[in-house]
């Protein structure tokens, strides 16, 4: 498997090279590629250009860290390479195609070294941790294994002069040379180093000429002048260089098998190192012998410097430092070096712990270029608003990169900031006006501000806020000050910093005084809005760019909008129902100021919603609104949304980043996906639209990469669905899931030798540092960008103190073990004596006085002496009572002397027991002695208290007993026995401490039992327990249990909210009932309505009515649902559908009066079944429904939703009809008809007209107030739509006897159901005067010239009308006269003119931008000429780019100037203003389209209508498309 982002992405910051590997980077023989291992992948750079490298692609396939990588050195196969991994596999690749060639799993252990033979073109030699070497000939799939030494292999290299020689370096300092043609033969064992061999390099020139500087290390027994072997060695053989952790480089002679020169690393002076000088680093000594130079070697040194050694130099100083000027060197140790001939230069590549890849020119010893890389997830991207090309990148390797993306001289101009961060950087935000002021937030809750601009900033630590968050910082935002900062005395900052983190709190920090306390803005929100209930956990924060509105996203999926500075709540958006990850306001600098009220949001759900808050801001009511309908919905992603960014160059253009591994560009107003980027190999975490280039976007992901990519070059338009998204999932599943291995330690090598800085456990040293630093197994996915802190697994505080016992062990390491429980390191027993037999025998009980007993088993002489000494002592004691007898070294005689001597003896015995690890015997002795207090203290200090000791502790006294129980409880906590610890605390009446202990460790059930049983009912601890447990249960998805907790804590409001969180019918129903019981009537009503809508989707009207019945305030909605049911029933009876619906509809069994009109039938059901029997009830329902506004329908709106919104309009119409308010009724019916028309559902529009206006609009017009111009205009519009439906009906259903209706006359058939654009165009009301006429016309034109078959629309015609006699048809056609309105045609023509001028303007602007972009790209030299025209063509492929039209436009462009266009636009707008408002207010079908249909009907059309149609076409059909479509009628 492979990934080439090189084609799709413009620029890339790659993942960091792996650390502590002897060879994990290499260059190809032809100098094109430089490859390095990064985690479990291999990154390939194209380094053929001397100026800067380009990312070429990745090799994917290993499932664990790649530890070795090498290219084939044969010119014919320059693109072949091999890699070895900790997963034990060796893979061969073709770098050009990025594809795998072969693989073998012959190693049973992690592969630690690998080399491709320079002489045998298909031989790859690899070695593993256990010392096994495998030779693999891939062309014949043959292999051979060697096991020369049972030691850990660190490096190996094949000789460039003899195809059978391989040199191998081991962990313990041994170097061997083997001959692979003769199995098991070791030619030389080269001893001299006494620590790890980091690298081996053969001299590129064969032969061993004696150089003036060789110091022969003459050993005893050799010929002093070495003349015997002189000739032989010169002719054959070759030198070998080795670099070791012991800080020396040795040059070995392979003919003599010994060291001929030793180079000791000089203590070079660190220059500008970006690392704390107090930290002692591990040394890594790698060596490289450049090709063709037999006397020069390059090596690494202590702190990242590189040295060039001249072996011919006499004296001590043989080295020169690479990198003359400041800042050219690496700042930390270098791991790998490799070189390549490039034209006439020799270039050297180095990789280092500082995460930089550098290229050096060996002729000048200067650094040619530096490529930065990333060692963690890319959590955050931010462009500076002051310096637009400046991109800040927050990375999981505890560093911030600031990339100057506009730099011409160095395209990877990156500054790194690491001071005081010490944790993953999860959030970034630039100060809106102050240059170089960058705020950051970290995984451990820290918030700080860097100054990235000043020259001394490189080593200047950031300011850190003294207020820390408890969990990961999710978002930072600069915004205007709010109280208390906005109201304080004296001068205040104009903007303050807001931070939001995983514990759900937003702090406001004062940037002038970060040391002061930050303010929790929830306090202000509570005070301003006088809120009593629990506020939701905040997960996202976003200020509107003008600083007037603040949006807070919450964990429950709601978004709250507040007004600055007092933070008054304006509205709540209830849309997502899942944790909010991203909120973005639209920019302010567009030509349509109303767009700045758009707010886009993304959550753990895959759908993005856009809301328009203009009406909310202008709303004057005091109480906050609730919004449940989105303005636009963008669906297509299949996983959670992590980040959003509006294009600063367009209006309504958005890009989203998602866990499905792709970024998606959307046209928000059309709800259309425009382009999808799939270049990453992981889940995307952040996205930013470039502020300087409208075609480029930057994304960061958990694959450790940042990509810059171009929208115009992507082949996909929408996110992957189904199979494709499964493939992406598979691609990511290859990511390693490395667990820290528990290894048994071999005993011979004590880890005490390791440096303190080794962070690691014994021989795991190399890998475990990687676990920490380089993120190979830093499987941060577990703690992802957003949900990082949601406690899926409960962590225990005790686990911090992992290895209390390890610190005593003589073998203890510098850091505790990685495992959970501490394992004291024991010595392995000597192997000779098998001890298991002994353990089977019954053990003899251990003596409690072993020392005394052994003293009494000595020789007879000794025992006699004991008697004499004892007698002497007792004698002196008799003479002098005060003096204690002096027993000397015969302590055991205390058994027979006085008490003081006995105490002495007991102390010695006790010490003996402790030294031999038997504390229980020591405790017993002390108990006998009576020193119980000392026993308890000693046992507590060592964590060895037992139940028995606690039981006997009251002997010592009450205080001692209490102290012992407390110490035992602490000890039990370390052993994670929390419940037992709490019980012991209760025994000494420490109830609060016991409850707190259980709470902290998430034993809530037990804590509540104790608190309820032992504390007062009103104690606040109990409420705190319930709410904490509820929060935890809520995060884990146990909603009903959480609701019980909230009820226990007497907060029913929160119980309702959590119960409704799941959003299914049963949960919503229960939540609504609970809210009703709790007196939260408004909340109950909104939940009932949501539940009813869910039931409506499954066509269960009976259930929906039952739910709504409980709410008085939803009476109006009951009427809507009732009408919706009757309408659906009516429609399904008129058009019986053959398809079986997956869910059968659940209708009421109401008696219906089929003879009455539809409205009468509905009103009868309302009165009979729903009890709407008084005028007050009707007016009340009407007021309820009028207060609800639904967004306009589009072709993307769900059909069921369209029908529901239509039912809402028709309910209002029926209520007006009942009250005989005809003016209102007409408007409502028109609303329903135009809504079906907007949704592109032509058939539904016709059905509505025939159900509600069976006799046309005549008798309706009579009932209207003719003085009311608005209602008359609405009636006229309604007549228009009815006639429009009838017109198409007549055209599609010709009379049966008209001889298939002169087919010649109707070459094209215009079928509205296939022409959404046509229908949209006629909706050119005031809302969108310049919406689509131009597109429409083109579409219509295309359809007219596509000679559709006449039969296309026939099936519909059968069900709709039978043959109608011609007289009837003629009268009906005359009824269509209403469509041929001169005034409307003129209005629509003016609107078309405006749209056309605006389109030309837009094209001109677009073309200008395109030219500017092309110019910029050509100066960057990053694009081939061939792509430029192609991309610009793609860009201009708008839906209306019919060829003839493009040509037409081109001509226009040449002749028309900007002032002329503006003049035309002004004239058209003046003309538009002259039309009466009543004409503009309501939509009307496209008059010219109707003219064309009439003309196409040929002889059926009455001649006067035909004339009128032709007349209108001549007058107003000036647009190209109408000229073309009506051409044949006008000639």
């Amino acid at each position: 498997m492979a990934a080439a982002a090189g084609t799709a992405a413009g620029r890339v910051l790659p993942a960091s090279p792996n650390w502590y590997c002897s060879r994990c980077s290499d260059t190809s023989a032809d100098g094109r590629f430089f490859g390095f291992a990064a985690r479990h992948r291999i990154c390939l750079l194209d380094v053929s250009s001397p100026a800067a490298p380009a990312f070429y692609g990745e090799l994917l396939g290993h499932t664990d860290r790649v530890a070795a990588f090498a290219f084939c050195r044969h010119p014919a196969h320059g693109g072949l390479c091999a890699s070895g991994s900790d997963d034990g596999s060796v893979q061969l690749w073709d770098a050009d195609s990025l594809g795998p060639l072969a693989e073998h799993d012959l190693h049973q252990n992690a592969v630690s070294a690998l080399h491709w033979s320079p002489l045998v073109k298909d031989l790859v030699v690899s070695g593993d941790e256990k010392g096994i070497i495998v030779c693999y000939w891939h062309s014949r799939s043959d292999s051979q294994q060697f096991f020369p030494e049972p030691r850990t292999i660190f490096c190996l290299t094949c000789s460039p002069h003899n195809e059978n020689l391989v040199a191998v370096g081991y962990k313990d300092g041994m170097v061997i040379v083997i001959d692979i043609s003769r199995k098991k033969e070791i030619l030389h064992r080269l001893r001299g180093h006494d620590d790890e061999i980091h690298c081996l390099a053969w001299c590129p020139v064969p032969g061993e000429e004696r150089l003036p500087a060789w110091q022969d290390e003459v050993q005893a027994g050799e010929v002093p002048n070495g003349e015997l072997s002189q000739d032989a060695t010169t002719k054959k053989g070759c030198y070998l260089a080795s670099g070791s952790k012991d800080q020396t480089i040795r040059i070995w002679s392979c003919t003599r098998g010994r060291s001929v020169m030793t180079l000791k690393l000089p203590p070079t002076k660190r220059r500008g190192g970006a690392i704390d000088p107090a930290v002692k680093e591990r040394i890594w000594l790698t060596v490289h012998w450049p090709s063709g130079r037999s006397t020069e070697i390059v090596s690494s040194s202590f702190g990242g410097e590189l040295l060039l050694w001249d072996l011919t130099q006499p004296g001590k100083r043989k080295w020169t430092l690479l990198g003359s000027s400041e800042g050219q060197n690496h700042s930390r140790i270098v791991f790998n070096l490799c070189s390549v001939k490039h034209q006439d230069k020799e270039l050297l590549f180095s990789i280092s712990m500082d995460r930089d890849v550098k290229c050096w020119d060996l002729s000048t010893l200067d650094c040619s270029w530096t490529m930065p890389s990333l060692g963690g997830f890319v959590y955050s991207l931010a462009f500076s608003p002051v310096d637009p090309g400046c991109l800040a990148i927050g990375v999981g390797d505890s560093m911030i990169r600031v990339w100057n993306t506009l730099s011409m001289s160095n395209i990877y101009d990156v500054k790194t900031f690491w001071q005081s961060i010490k944790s993953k950087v999860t959030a970034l935000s630039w100060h809106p006006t102050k240059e170089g002021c960058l705020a950051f937030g970290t995984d451990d809750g820290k918030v700080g501000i860097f100054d990235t601009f000043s020259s001394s900033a490189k080593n200047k630590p950031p300011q850190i806020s003294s207020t820390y968050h408890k969990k990961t910082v999710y978002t930072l935002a600069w915004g205007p000050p709010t109280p208390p900062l906005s109201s304080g005395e004296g001068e205040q900052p104009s903007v303050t910093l807001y931070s939001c983190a995983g514990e759900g709190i937003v702090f406001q920090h004062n940037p002038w005084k970060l040391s002061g306390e930050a303010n929790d803005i929830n306090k202000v929100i509570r005070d301003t809005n006088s809120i009593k209930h629990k506020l939701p956990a905040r997960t996202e924060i976003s200020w509107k760019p003008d600083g007037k509105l603040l949006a807070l996203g919450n964990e429950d999926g709601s978004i709250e909008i507040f007004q600055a500075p007092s933070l008054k709540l304006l509205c709540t958006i209830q849309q997502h129902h899942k944790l909010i990850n991203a909120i973005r306001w639209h920019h302010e600098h567009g030509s349509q100021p109303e767009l700045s009220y758009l707010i886009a949001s993304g959550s753990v759900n895959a759908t993005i919603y856009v809301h328009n808050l203009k009406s909310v801001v202008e709303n004057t009511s005091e109480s906050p609104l609730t919004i449940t309908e989105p303005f636009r919905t963008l669906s297509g992603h299949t996983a959670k949304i992590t980040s959003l960014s509006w294009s600063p160059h367009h209006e309504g253009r958005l890009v989203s980043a998602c866990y499905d591994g792709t970024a998606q560009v959307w046209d928000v107003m059309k709800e259309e996906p425009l382009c999808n980027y799939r270049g990453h190999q992981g889940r995307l975490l952040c996205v930013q639209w470039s502020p300087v280039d409208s075609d480029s976007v930057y994304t960061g992901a958990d694959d450790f990469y940042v990509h810059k990519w171009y929208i115009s070059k992507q082949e996909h338009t929408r996110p992957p669905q189904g199979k494709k998204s499964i493939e992406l999932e598979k691609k990511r599943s290859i990511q390693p899931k490395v667990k820290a291995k528990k290894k048994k330690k071999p005993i011979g090598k004590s880890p005490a030798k390791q440096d303190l800085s080794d962070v690691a456990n014994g021989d795991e040293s190399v890998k475990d540092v990687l676990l920490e630093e380089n993120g190979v197994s830093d499987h941060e996915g577990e703690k992802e960008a957003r949900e990082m802190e949601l406690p899926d697994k409960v962590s225990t505080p005790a686990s911090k103190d992992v290895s209390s016992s390890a610190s005593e062990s003589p073998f203890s390491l510098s850091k505790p073990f990685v495992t959970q429980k501490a394992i004291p390191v024991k010595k392995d027993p000597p192997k000779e004596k098998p001890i298991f037999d002994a353990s089977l025998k019954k053990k003899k009980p251990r003596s409690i006085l072993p020392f005394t007993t052994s003293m009494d088993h000595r020789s007879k002489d000794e025992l006699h002496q004991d008697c004499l000494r004892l007698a002497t002592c007792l004698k002196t004691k008799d003479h002098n009572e005060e003096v204690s007898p002096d027993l000397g070294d015969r302590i055991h005689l205390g058994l027979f002397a006085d008490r003081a001597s006995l105490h002495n003896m007991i102390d010695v015995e006790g010490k003996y027991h402790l030294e031999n690890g038997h504390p229980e015997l020591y405790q017993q002795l002390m108990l006998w002695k009576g020193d119980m207090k000392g026993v308890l203290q000693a046992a507590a200090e060592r964590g060895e208290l037992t139940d028995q000791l606690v039981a006997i502790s009251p002997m010592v006294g009450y205080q001692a007993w209490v102290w012992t129980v407390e110490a035992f409880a602490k000890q039990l906590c370390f052993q994670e026995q929390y419940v037992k610890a709490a019980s012991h605390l209760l025994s000494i009446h420490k109830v609060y401490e016991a409850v707190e202990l259980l709470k902290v460790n998430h034993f809530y059930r037990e804590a509540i039992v104790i608190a309820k049983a032992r504390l007062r009912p009103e104690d606040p601890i109990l409420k705190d327990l319930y709410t904490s447990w509820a929060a935890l249960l809520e995060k884990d998805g146990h909603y009903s249990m959480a609701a019980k907790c909230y009820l226990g804590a007497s907060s029913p409001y929160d119980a309702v909210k959590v119960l409704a969180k799941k959003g299914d019918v049963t949960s919503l129903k229960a939540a609504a009932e609970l809210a009703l019981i709790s007196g939260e009537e408004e909340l109950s009503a909104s939940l009932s309505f949501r539940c009813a809508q869910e039931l409506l989707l499954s066509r269960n009207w009976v259930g929906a009515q039952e739910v709504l019945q409980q709410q008085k305030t939803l009476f109006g909605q009951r009427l809507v649902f009732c009408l919706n049911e009757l309408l659906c029933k009516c429609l399904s009876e008129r058009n019986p559908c053959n398809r079986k619906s997956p869910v059968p509809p659940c209708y009421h069994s109401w008696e219906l009066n089929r003879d009455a009109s539809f409205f009468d039938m509905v009103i009868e059901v309302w009165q009979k079944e729903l009890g709407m029997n008084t005028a007050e009830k009707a007016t009340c329902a009407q007021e309820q429904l009028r207060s609800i506004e639904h967004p306009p329908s589009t072709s993307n709106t769900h059909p069921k939703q369209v029908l529901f919104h239509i039912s809402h309009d028709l309910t209002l119409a029926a209520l007006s009809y009942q009250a005989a308010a005809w003016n209102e009724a007409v408007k409502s019916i028109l609303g329903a008809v135009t809504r079906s028309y907007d949704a592109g559902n032509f058939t539904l529009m016709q059905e509505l007209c025939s159900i509600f206006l069976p006799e046309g609009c005549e008798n309706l017009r009579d009932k209207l107030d003719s003085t009311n111009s608005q209602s008359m205009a609405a009636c006229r519009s309604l007549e228009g739509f009815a006639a429009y439906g009838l017109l198409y009906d007549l055209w599609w259903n010709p009379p049966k006897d008209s001889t298939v209706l002169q087919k010649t006359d109707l070459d094209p058939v215009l079928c509205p159901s296939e022409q959404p654009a046509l229908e949209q165009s006629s909706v050119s009301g005031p809302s969108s005067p310049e919406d689509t006429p131009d597109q429409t016309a083109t579409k219509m034109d295309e359809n007219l010239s596509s000679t559709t078959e006449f039969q296309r629309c026939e099936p519909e015609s059968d069900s709709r009308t039978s043959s109608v006699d011609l007289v009837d048809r003629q009268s009906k056609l005359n009824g269509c006269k209403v469509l041929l309105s001169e005034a409307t045609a003129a209005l629509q023509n003016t609107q078309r003119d405006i749209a056309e001028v605006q389109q030309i303007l837009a094209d001109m602007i677009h073309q200008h931008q395109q030219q500017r972009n092309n110019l910029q790209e050509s100066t960057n030299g990053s694009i081939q000429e061939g792509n430029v025209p192609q991309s610009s063509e793609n860009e201009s492929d708008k839906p209306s780019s019919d060829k003839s039209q493009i040509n037409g436009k081109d001509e226009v462009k040449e002749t028309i100037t900007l002032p002329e266009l503006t003049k035309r636009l002004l004239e058209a707008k003046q003309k538009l203003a002259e039309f009466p408002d009543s004409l503009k207010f309501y939509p009307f079908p496209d008059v010219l389209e109707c003219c064309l249909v009439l003309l196409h009907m040929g002889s059926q059309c009455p001649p006067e209508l035909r004339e009128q149609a032709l007349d209108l076409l001549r007058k107003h059909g000036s647009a190209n498309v109408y000229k073309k479509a009506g051409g044949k009628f006008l000639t």
Side-chain angles (χ1 to χ4, degrees), residues 1123 1127 1158-1159 1166 1203 1205-1216 1228-1230 1232-1233 1248 1252:
L1123 186 136
L1127 182 59
F1158 187 82
F1159 275 154
W1166 285 352
L1203 207 55
H1205 291 169
I1206 285 173
S1207 308
H1208 186 278
D1209 292 335
L1210 292 173
T1211 306
L1212 284 170
L1215 288 166
S1216 306
S1228 298
I1229 295 174
L1230 176 62
V1233 171
L1248 289 176
F1252 294 100

Side-chain angles (χ1 to χ4, degrees), residues 1037-1049:
H1038 305 307
Y1039 297 133
S1040 44
M1041 190 68 197
K1044 284 190 269 189
C1045 287
Y1046 282 128
L1047 289 171

Side-chain angles (χ1 to χ4, degrees), residues 29 283 315 543 631 795 934 939 1056 1191 1468:
I283 171 81
W543 278 95
F631 174 64
S795 63
V1056 174

Side-chain angles (χ1 to χ4, degrees), residues 1222-1258:
W1222 293 102
N1223 295 345
E1224 292 302 317
V1226 170
K1227 289 177 194 169
S1228 298
I1229 295 174
L1230 176 62
V1233 171
T1234 50
R1235 191 180 283 282
S1236 62
Y1237 179 75
D1238 291 354
N1241 199 333
F1242 186 77
T1243 323
L1244 179 61
M1245 187 193 88
Q1246 286 185 310
E1247 290 292 0
L1248 289 176
C1249 289
S1250 56
I1251 293 173
F1252 294 100
L1253 305 167
E1255 296 94 31
C1257 301
E1258 285 310 313

Side-chain angles (χ1 to χ4, degrees), residues 188-433:
H188 298 292
R189 280 193 173 78
L190 308 174
R191 292 187 176 85
H193 290 296
D194 53 15
D195 210 337
E196 300 162 3
I197 305 295
H198 289 161
C199 188
L200 292 169
W202 292 95
C203 177
V205 182
E208 293 183 0
E209 301 86 38
R210 185 178 285 262
L211 292 164
W214 285 158
Q215 313 118 16
D216 255 319
E217 295 168 6
V218 177
Q219 285 152 15
E222 276 192 8
V223 180
N225 56 10
E227 273 163 14
L228 285 176
S229 54
Q230 182 70 39
D231 294 327
T233 55
T234 312
K235 292 187 180 71
K236 61 182 171 50
C238 171
Y239 289 123
L240 175 69
S242 61
S244 159
K245 189 179 173 178
D246 64 14
Q247 305 182 10
T248 63
I249 301 167
R250 286 180 180 257
I251 312 290
W252 307 86
S253 152
C254 279
T255 45
R256 284 177 280 177
R258 64 184 182 77
S259 162
V260 292
M261 180 181 273
T262 305
L263 306 169
K264 188 114 179 70
L265 280 192
T268 53
K269 223 186 184 152
R270 294 299 304 280
R271 294 176 304 173
I275 184 167
D276 184 352
V279 175
K280 183 171 186 289
E281 269 188 345
R282 270 188 78 142
I283 171 81
W284 189 271
L285 182 45
T286 183
V287 292
H288 175 71
W289 213 318
S291 58
R293 309 185 184 199
S294 60
T295 63
E296 287 185 343
I297 288 183
V298 185
S299 82
S300 60
S301 182
F302 287 96
E305 292 96 349
L306 298 178
L307 309 175
L308 179 68
W309 300 82
D310 183 351
L311 305 179
T312 56
Q313 252 335 75
K316 279 197 172 173
R317 170 140 187 170
K318 296 182 166 53
W319 50 270
T320 320
L321 215 45
L322 269 72
S324 50
S325 61
E326 180 72 23
Q328 281 199 359
N329 270 291
H330 286 291
S331 58
R332 298 183 73 175
I333 53 177
V334 174
F335 294 117
N336 290 176
L337 297 169
C338 56
S339 68
V340 71
K341 275 271 197 291
H342 203 292
Q343 289 142 9
D344 52 350
K345 294 181 187 169
E346 177 143 19
L347 300 180
L348 176 80
F349 296 89
S350 56
I351 62 172
S352 154
M353 194 188 247
D354 65 8
R355 307 190 189 282
D356 278 347
V357 176
K358 286 187 185 279
C359 170
W360 305 80
D361 182 346
L362 277 181
S363 52
T364 62
L365 301 191
D366 274 341
C367 180
S368 310
W369 51 255
T370 300
M371 173 135 183
S373 66
L374 311 176
F377 288 13
V378 181
Y379 287 109
S380 179
L381 293 172
F383 272 103
S384 163
V386 187
D387 177 3
C390 204
L391 173 65
I393 305 167
V395 189
D397 59 10
S398 312
M399 296 202 270
I400 297 170
R401 318 292 199 285
V402 176
W403 183 6
N404 177 4
T405 58
L406 297 183
S407 165
M408 293 293 176
S409 54
N410 171 13
I411 60 169
Y412 291 109
D413 178 2
V414 172
K415 273 190 193 169
T416 304
F417 297 89
W418 51 267
Q419 292 86 350
S420 310
I421 297 178
K422 300 190 174 107
S423 179
K424 297 168 189 163
V425 181
T426 51
L428 293 171
S429 180
W430 291 95
H431 191 288
T433 53

Side-chain angles (χ1 to χ4, degrees), residues 676-697:
N676 182 258
Y677 177 68
R678 304 182 183 179
H680 282 282
Q681 303 301 312
R683 299 167 297 197
L684 271 69
L685 303 178
C686 49
V687 62
Q688 281 290 339
W689 204 301
S690 164
V692 290
D693 175 5
S694 61
D695 193 30
S696 58
V697 175

Side-chain angles (χ1 to χ4, degrees), residues 1152-1168:
L1152 302 178
N1153 177 3
R1154 301 284 182 174
D1155 305 331
S1157 75
F1158 187 82
F1159 275 154
D1160 290 328
M1161 175 175 85
V1162 168
I1163 289 165
E1164 199 175 314
V1165 172
W1166 285 352
Q1167 289 168 343
K1168 266 194 205 167

